[in-house]
Amino acid sequence: ELVDLALSAYLAALKQLLGEFLAAGADADRSGIRSQLVRVCSTVGQEVRVELPGGITLVGSAIDLDLSGRLVVRRSADAVEQAVAAGDVTHLRYE
C-alpha cells in the first residue's frame, strides 16, 4: 500500500510538471522546470572532473544546466564555460 501511495504521489507531481511544461510551449525556462532542476541538482555548485568521450578530461565548477539539460562547467584552467552532454562526472570533494 505504501508503494502505491508513493507511486501515486510521484505520478501526480509528474503530471503537474508535464502540464506546466506543455502549457509553456515545451519551454523549460518559461515553465520553471529548468530552475527547479538546477535548484535540486546536487552537482551544480560542485567542483567536478568530467571524463569526456575520446579520453578528454575537463576539470572545473559545475555552474548550471543549459536549455538542453546539459551540465555547464566553468573550466578551472581558463574560466571558459563548456556544456557537457555526455561523460562521467566525479565530484571533487576531497581533491
Side-chain angles (χ1 to χ4, degrees), residues 10-65:
Y10 171 79
L11 291 174
L14 181 61
K15 180 180 177 183
Q16 180 178 344
L17 287 172
L18 180 59
E20 292 168 4
F21 180 67
L22 294 175
D27 184 310
D29 260 347
R30 277 194 319 156
S31 67
I33 290 174
R34 191 180 75 79
S35 65
Q36 290 180 52
L37 287 173
V38 170
R39 188 176 66 248
V40 300
C41 179
S42 64
T43 301
V44 172
Q46 300 292 321
E47 294 297 313
V48 296
R49 178 179 56 245
V50 184
E51 303 293 333
L52 298 168
I56 299 168
T57 301
L58 169 65
V59 177
S61 300
I63 60 169
D64 202 357
L65 299 175

